[in-house]
Amino acid sequence: MTTTLDEAPLSREAMEAFWLPFTANRQFKANPRIFTGARGMYYSTAEGRQVMDAMAGLWCVNAGHAAPRIADAIKRQAGALDYVSSFGMSHPLAFTLATRITAMAPQGIDHIFFVNSGSEAVDTALKIARAYHQARGDGRRTRLIGRAKGYHGMGFGGLSVAGIARHRRDFGPLLGDVDHLPHTHHPEHNAFSRGRPAWGAHLADELEALCQIHDASTIAAVIVEPVTGSGGVLPPPVGYLERLREICDRHGILLIFDEVITGFGRIGAPFAANAFGVTPDIITCAKGMTNGAVPMGGVLVHRRVHDAFMEGAPEAVELMHGYTYSAHPLACAAGLAALDTYQEEGLFARCADISPVWEAAAHALQGKPHVVDIRNIGLLAAIELAPRPGAAGERGAAVLRHCIDKDILIRAAGDTLVLSPPLIISDAEIERLFGTIAEALSGLN
């Protein structure tokens, strides 16, 4: 007998087989939060509640849930060509999607390698970076540089260059030949910045210090999120990314932007690289690529990186890497429909237009109890709270519970509230969201 989502039994026994990711499973299964549908800005529950999604799923549902064009494209593709490998073969939509995405990227970035997630995109980008130097006869360049507070997925490569200690702690030893830049979060200098903080460009010069320690000729790549996401929504200081680009150019180091979150309109442009006017050598993307409807990711590369692999015999495999589901037909159909939706609804421009409303509403929380910093850029925001003495994370958890009780879904990373709504959010929904957070803050001890 087929069980539909709405009919599925949710006793503790029925839930036991599923080991949920990033979840306190025993606590969750004692009091589960289950959604049975979604449309636009809202999830729905079996009890009929409509819950505002202030996180765009997981930073990914940029056009809102159940976008009709995307759903229809997936259905049509499933009935026409459900699967074909891209190992020595492929299908037309893969080439069309590759052309569409590279046309949105900064000039010179004109090839894409398809993967299935942000984590795979990062690991692929790191492999490409090392293999690029090998292809050029510079095999000494193996070292990878990440950044504190950075999040780059959960593969071993991504964990190695990431800078969130709790994510890394249980899985070592990780990759060797890795070092980290310091983060840019210094509230004593840049608290309550609106958009990019004015202070902090000089922190990029720490890359020069790492070059002195390791010798620049051993460094393959530097990877950063243009806007740190899971580490607390940290926009780059004015001039910071430009300085990283300059240092990498001087020393022959590849610069990788992890745009899994910032890609596809999140800060009002196709990519943060477009918005900030800084062109990296490699861009990773995922999430909004298909509006979250089908898992997919990609690694965009500059033509000089791609062309370095094309110097050998034409019958040889240039990059010994790939995945069973690279350029999956359903994912490609969803990706093309997502791009059509973003274009037809003008969502990237809409994000830019509504960002001042978002910014004003976020910063109106300054002065509320326990608020020590507010950060925003595009339709991203973080509200950082002072931790309760001896109970770090409890204030953030209390605000999250209050919002859920009021039918609004946010995230709490410890005592930092993180917000990333679909780009279709309205002025009234912005007012409701931040008004509800203000209520919660007023009741905190």
Side-chain angles (χ1 to χ4, degrees):
M1 174 177 151
T2 301
T3 302
T4 67
L5 183 63
D6 287 345
E7 297 168 344
L10 291 175
S11 65
R12 178 62 183 265
E13 181 181 7
M15 291 187 289
E16 191 55 40
F18 180 23
W19 190 348
L20 284 79
F22 278 112
T23 299
N25 277 256
R26 289 162 295 177
Q27 182 184 65
F28 174 88
K29 290 170 183 177
N31 184 27
R33 181 184 304 144
I34 304 294
F35 296 123
T36 57
R39 184 167 297 277
M41 278 291 300
Y42 296 88
Y43 285 112
S44 56
T45 71
E47 299 77 27
R49 294 174 62 188
Q50 295 294 303
V51 180
M52 182 195 296
D53 179 8
M55 276 308 302
L58 201 58
W59 322 80
C60 54
V61 187
N62 292 356
H65 293 278
R69 178 186 286 274
I70 300 171
D72 290 344
I74 295 168
K75 292 174 187 175
R76 288 195 306 271
Q77 188 60 42
L81 176 64
D82 57 345
Y83 174 77
V84 63
S85 166
S86 280
F87 292 13
M89 63 197 76
S90 196
H91 59 98
L93 294 187
F95 301 97
T96 304
L97 182 60
T99 300
R100 291 276 302 274
I101 292 176
T102 54
M104 298 163 55
Q107 186 174 5
I109 295 182
D110 52 13
H111 289 79
I112 185 168
F113 190 100
F114 286 121
V115 298
N116 309 295
S117 68
S119 293
E120 288 184 1
V122 168
D123 278 18
T124 297
L126 299 178
K127 290 176 76 173
I128 288 173
R130 283 184 168 178
Y132 163 78
H133 293 295
Q134 289 273 4
R136 295 172 58 251
D138 197 0
R140 295 174 303 171
R141 290 186 180 268
T142 59
R143 188 170 298 279
L144 304 167
I145 307 295
R147 184 169 61 180
K149 291 188 179 291
Y151 177 78
H152 300 291
M154 298 306 291
F156 269 93
L159 273 181
S160 299
V161 295
I164 300 176
R166 183 61 188 91
H167 292 175
R168 295 160 51 92
R169 186 188 72 187
D170 299 338
F171 306 112
L174 301 174
L175 293 184
D177 285 349
V178 174
D179 210 331
H180 292 79
L181 295 164
H183 60 74
T184 63
H185 182 42
H186 294 271
E188 67 276 19
H189 296 291
N190 54 20
F192 300 102
S193 296
R194 293 176 179 244
R196 303 178 69 181
W199 184 95
H202 66 283
L203 295 171
D205 292 335
E206 294 298 322
L207 180 55
E208 286 283 15
L210 293 180
C211 289
Q212 294 299 316
I213 293 170
H214 300 297
D215 194 304
S217 68
T218 70
I219 299 175
V222 173
I223 181 169
V224 296
E225 298 164 278
V227 179
T228 298
S230 296
V233 182
L234 306 175
V238 174
Y240 176 87
L241 296 176
E242 293 86 343
R243 182 67 176 141
L244 279 185
R245 177 72 275 179
E246 177 187 341
I247 297 169
C248 286
D249 284 344
R250 182 182 312 130
H251 295 294
I253 300 167
L254 294 182
L255 179 59
I256 304 170
F257 279 2
D258 184 345
E259 297 224 37
V260 169
I261 287 174
T262 51
F264 303 100
R266 178 53 53 187
I267 62 171
F271 297 98
N274 304 87
F276 299 145
V278 178
T279 300
D281 302 292
I282 298 174
I283 295 174
T284 65
C285 57
K287 294 192 182 291
M289 191 170 180
T290 66
N291 201 49
V294 179
M296 192 178 205
V299 181
L300 289 148
V301 299
H302 197 281
R303 68 173 64 97
R304 64 176 168 269
V305 174
H306 170 269
D307 289 354
F309 289 86
M310 302 297 148
E311 296 297 323
E315 67 274 13
V317 175
E318 296 92 0
L319 180 66
M320 197 62 65
H321 176 68
Y323 300 98
T324 299
Y325 300 117
S326 292
H328 192 285
L330 269 64
C332 289
L336 286 166
L339 295 185
D340 288 341
T341 300
Y342 297 149
Q343 182 177 0
E344 291 177 9
E345 298 185 12
L347 290 183
F348 298 176
R350 187 179 189 283
C351 175
D353 291 343
I354 204 170
S355 291
V357 177
W358 174 261
E359 177 178 273
H363 284 271
L365 298 177
Q366 185 173 352
K368 293 293 182 183
H370 312 298
V371 174
V372 296
D373 191 18
I374 297 168
R375 305 179 288 276
N376 72 282
I377 192 164
L379 279 176
L380 291 168
I383 300 99
E384 187 171 344
L385 311 179
R388 187 175 292 159
E394 287 195 5
R395 283 179 174 146
V399 175
L400 185 148
R401 288 193 298 269
H402 178 90
C403 288
I404 285 291
D405 289 344
K406 298 294 184 179
D407 291 337
I408 295 178
L409 182 65
I410 67 170
R411 291 191 79 199
D415 286 303
T416 299
L417 312 176
V418 179
L419 307 171
S420 174
L423 308 184
I424 63 172
I425 192 170
S426 68
D427 290 18
E429 287 163 335
I430 291 173
E431 181 179 359
R432 179 186 167 202
L433 168 62
F434 287 102
T436 302
I437 294 173
E439 289 175 7
L441 294 172
S442 297
L444 286 181
N445 57 28

